[in-house]
Amino acid sequence: MKALFNASKVAAKASSLQAASAAKEIFDAWRDLQKYRAEQETVRHQITQQTEVQIARIQAQKEVLLQALNQDFALRQTSLTQTFAVLDKALETNNLELLDKSLGAIVAITQQSSVVSLKSLHATLQDSRNVIDL
């Protein structure tokens, strides 16, 4: 832009040859500006596309993790419900061995951590070499 300003000052005081030279400088500066503008539009477009791809990837990972969490909690709920039914039967029949095993099963189920399995799943999702079929 500074070159444009300087070129216009020179053109005002110059001869026709100098004016033509200044006009060429103005045109060259304008052409360079247009080229730079086009390059920057391309860069912005690429950034926008990359952003959209990353957002879609994150959304897909979120869905997979939520689905895994929901399935894990549903499985635990089913297991605990069945185990408590066995515990109730053990209490009704005064079966100490069954009571001990059902209490052990309840403790084992509640000690399992969804976070560990989700951490592994998250690592798998982050690795671009892995393809997960849903």
Side-chain angles (χ1 to χ4, degrees):
M1 198 51 119
K2 193 174 182 181
L4 287 174
F5 182 70
N6 290 338
S8 63
K9 276 178 142 181
V10 170
K13 300 178 187 175
S15 67
S16 61
L17 180 60
Q18 289 174 329
S21 175
K24 182 182 180 320
E25 283 185 44
I26 291 171
F27 178 75
D28 290 344
W30 177 81
R31 189 180 60 221
D32 290 344
L33 175 64
Q34 296 305 314
K35 181 180 174 185
Y36 179 76
R37 226 184 235 168
E39 289 171 355
Q40 292 306 307
E41 283 182 30
T42 301
V43 169
R44 281 193 300 272
H45 181 68
Q46 289 172 342
I47 290 170
T48 301
Q49 284 182 327
Q50 290 171 352
T51 301
E52 290 172 2
V53 166
Q54 292 302 320
I55 288 172
R57 183 182 62 81
I58 290 167
Q59 289 285 35
Q61 288 178 355
K62 172 188 160 190
E63 292 303 318
V64 168
L65 290 172
L66 285 175
Q67 186 178 9
L69 253 178
N70 288 335
Q71 288 175 350
D72 186 56
F73 287 141
L75 179 63
R76 282 175 189 244
Q77 180 183 12
T78 302
S79 297
L80 284 171
T81 300
Q82 291 173 350
T83 306
F84 274 109
V86 171
L87 178 70
D88 289 341
K89 186 169 193 138
L91 289 172
E92 288 172 7
T93 61
N94 203 22
N95 185 337
L96 295 180
E97 185 179 338
L98 187 58
L99 179 69
D100 181 51
K101 288 184 180 186
S102 60
L103 287 174
I106 291 170
V107 169
I109 291 168
T110 57
Q111 285 180 340
Q112 295 172 353
S113 174
S114 299
V115 176
V116 174
S117 61
L118 287 178
K119 186 176 180 182
S120 172
L121 177 59
H122 184 351
T124 301
L125 290 173
Q126 294 297 321
D127 189 351
S128 61
R129 297 173 294 169
N130 291 324
V131 176
I132 298 176
D133 292 327
L134 299 177

